[in-house]
Amino acid sequence: MSDAIKIDIWSDIACPWCYIGKRKLENGIAEYGVDDDAVPVQIEYHSFELSPDTPVDFAGSHEEFLAMKGFPPEQIGPMLERVTGIAASVGLDYDYPNLKHANTVLAHQLIHYAKARGLQLEAKERLLKAYFVEGRQVGTIDGLADLAVELGFDRDDVVRSLRANEYLADVRADQNLAIQYGIQGVPFFVIDGKYGVSGAQDASTFAQVLRQVADERVEVGQ
């Protein structure tokens, strides 16, 4: 049982439940990891755009954006308050008043850039925090290049890559695979290539699935 359990995750930088789900998954992995027979877990993120028609230069508030998307105005405030509370329960301090809406296709390209250099998980975390907690710009080349420097990347090379859409084909490949899987919402987790978990489930749910996968491997002598 030396092979790691692979978890493929489809998510978007601009998805509040994706960041919450990330934390819950991490907590679930930690819960599972205390087992004597725990198997290592490997995570890979895949691109998914919740709102690909979002303009790069949208200057309105989050409430205005949601209203533009068809959410009833009277429901937006309570909804954001609820999401903020759930985020806080897993240690995330969402700052919706300062959130800067962005088209995320370039951010997904940066995550693929980081993946090619062994820092995909770090890039994913940095961009989510920048968007939901720090009110940073994650939709422009300059904004992303600034964040990439914090991860240790060469700014000029990141700018070159994003201007050339170097990893756009990889983003589209992720999205096409999501279509093949029938994924219509995120976060979506595919565990060991056969179990799908949709949404920001509790940590105990992820731990349970990991234990089930590990037990099944023992049964088949893997």
Side-chain angles (χ1 to χ4, degrees), residues 11-20 50 94 128 131-132 186-187:
S11 72
D12 195 4
I13 301 301
C15 166
W17 298 107
C18 290
Y19 203 5
I20 293 168
L50 274 176
Y94 281 10
L128 284 166
Y131 186 73
F132 282 107
V186 289

Side-chain angles (χ1 to χ4, degrees), residues 106-107 110 127 137-149 158 162:
L106 286 172
L110 178 58
L127 291 177
Q137 174 57 258
V138 302
T140 66
I141 290 177
D142 283 344
L144 290 168
D146 289 343
L147 292 166
V149 169
V158 171
L162 295 178

Side-chain angles (χ1 to χ4, degrees), residues 72-192:
E74 69 276 7
Q75 296 179 13
I76 293 175
M79 180 179 68
L80 294 182
E81 185 176 344
R82 174 174 172 267
V83 174
T84 300
I86 294 173
S89 74
V90 292
L92 300 174
D93 186 19
Y94 281 10
D95 186 5
Y96 277 115
N98 290 311
L99 184 149
K100 292 181 176 60
H101 268 282
N103 185 296
T104 59
V105 68
L106 286 172
H108 285 299
Q109 290 188 56
L110 178 58
I111 291 171
H112 275 283
Y113 178 98
K115 175 186 173 183
R117 292 155 178 81
L119 290 174
Q120 186 196 42
L121 300 187
E122 292 83 354
K124 183 71 173 183
E125 174 68 24
R126 187 67 195 94
L127 291 177
L128 284 166
K129 183 177 181 181
Y131 186 73
F132 282 107
V133 177
E134 299 174 345
R136 299 277 292 272
Q137 174 57 258
V138 302
T140 66
I141 290 177
D142 283 344
L144 290 168
D146 289 343
L147 292 166
V149 169
E150 296 180 21
L151 293 165
F153 296 128
D154 179 81
R155 194 180 199 282
D156 290 341
D157 192 57
V158 171
V159 170
R160 173 204 59 79
S161 177
L162 295 178
R163 283 181 177 168
N165 286 316
E166 183 178 19
Y167 290 96
L168 181 59
D170 298 274
V171 173
R172 299 303 183 221
D174 280 349
Q175 294 169 331
N176 288 333
L177 189 54
I179 292 171
Q180 294 177 33
Y181 274 123
I183 298 171
Q184 297 180 337
V186 289
F188 194 91
F189 308 82
V190 176
I191 300 176
D192 213 34

